[in-house]
DNA sequence: GTAAGTACCAACATTTTTGTAAGTATCAAA
DNA sequence: TTTGATACTTACAAAAATGTTGGTACTTAC
């Protein structure tokens, strides 16, 4: 009677949400917002390499999933704030864990990669 | 003097590794391998929707990063096993946490999404 | 008056990702 | 003997992601 979500199942709705939070920019947006509320431009400067378009799109998707909240002040020039919802904060924490785990292992990973390419060119047998 | 990795920095090498483990299939491969060693076909059946091509590609990338190990038995018909490395297991655990966090919130997310689209069509003011 | 900042959107172009179909060599079951 | 399983690879095609450019309407600083 109970429906148990399962990402390994193709039809499971969790797939799309997971794709949003693990998309190229989605996860970085969540991490960047962990420090607190940020407005659009500040967010963009914070995340190296995002284009306006991609940032907007990522923010919309995360907003639709209830991960972040958009607060538009009705002033001119425009002023819009973004912040994590409680659920967004929960998810962001895990994404940050993931990023930090990778950062901690980065040196080892880089060495490992290099040792493999050297092994390839080193012996032609 | 110390180099501190930072995903928010465009040039940081952690970006590519993060992209591999959070790619459409990369994360699911890691999760699927948490139960233990699996061979190619079993892995494919386990992960709903992967094509052979994408599974191969994801496995290669994760192997290059040292997340999984490929063990090819020299027999015919071919027999190849895949399993997590210690680092891969560490990363997989966090990816699973992320998936489970989303699965746990899925019902709420779905309701939230629906309430938004209803709100859009409900009032034309 | 000119330039820059604000938070976007839309059209279009490009790049990347992902999928599909076919082929490889061998063995075992029907 | 045809079929299916094994673990892939390659070429090609389609789809999705991402980038680029230009525009909006207004304000402030120079």
């Amino acid at each position: 009677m109970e429906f148990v979500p399962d990402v390994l199942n193709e039809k499971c709705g969790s797939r799309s949400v997971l794709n949003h939070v693990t998309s190229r920019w989605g996860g970085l947006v969540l991490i960047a917002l962990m420090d607190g509320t940020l407005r659009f431009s500040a967010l963009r400067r914070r995340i190296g390499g995002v284009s306006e378009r991609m940032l907007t799109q990522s923010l919309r998707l995360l907003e639709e999933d209830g991960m972040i909240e958009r607060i538009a002040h009705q002033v001119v020039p425009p002023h819009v704030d973004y912040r994590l919802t409680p659920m967004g904060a929960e998810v962001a924490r895990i994404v940050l864990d993931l990023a930090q785990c990778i950062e901690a292992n980065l040196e080892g990973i880089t060495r490992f990669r290099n040792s493999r390419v050297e092994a390839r060119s080193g012996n032609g047998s």
Side-chain angles (χ1 to χ4, degrees), chain A residues 1-124:
Chain A
M1 212 47 96
E2 285 284 330
F3 169 69
V4 182
D6 171 26
V7 262
L8 293 182
N9 182 345
E10 191 178 2
K11 311 282 182 183
C12 186
S14 58
R15 282 265 180 105
S16 73
V17 183
L18 188 64
N19 284 340
H20 296 162
V21 310
T22 62
S23 68
R24 184 154 180 189
W25 305 112
L28 300 181
V29 166
L30 292 176
I31 289 173
L33 286 174
M34 284 183 82
D35 293 344
T37 298
L38 283 178
R39 50 195 296 190
F40 187 86
S41 309
L43 203 43
R44 183 165 176 220
R45 282 187 294 263
R46 192 80 199 290
I47 302 169
V50 226
S51 63
E52 291 189 351
R53 190 184 184 283
M54 279 302 105
L55 183 54
T56 306
Q57 199 171 107
S58 305
L59 287 168
R60 295 285 168 275
L61 290 172
L62 293 173
E63 198 194 346
E64 280 170 26
D65 290 346
M67 299 288 168
I68 63 177
E69 212 178 334
R70 178 178 186 273
I71 302 127
H73 305 259
Q74 292 301 331
V75 292
V76 66
H79 182 155
V80 182
D81 287 320
Y82 291 94
R83 69 171 169 206
L84 296 173
T85 62
M87 177 176 67
E90 201 185 333
V91 171
R93 177 69 249 172
I94 303 173
V95 176
L96 183 61
D97 284 348
L98 187 60
Q100 287 179 337
C101 178
I102 288 167
E103 288 170 354
N105 286 288
L106 186 58
E107 212 178 306
I109 294 169
T110 307
R111 265 204 305 274
F112 178 73
R113 280 182 180 162
N114 291 341
S115 68
R116 298 190 106 227
V117 287
E118 279 172 29
R120 277 184 190 285
S121 54
N123 59 348

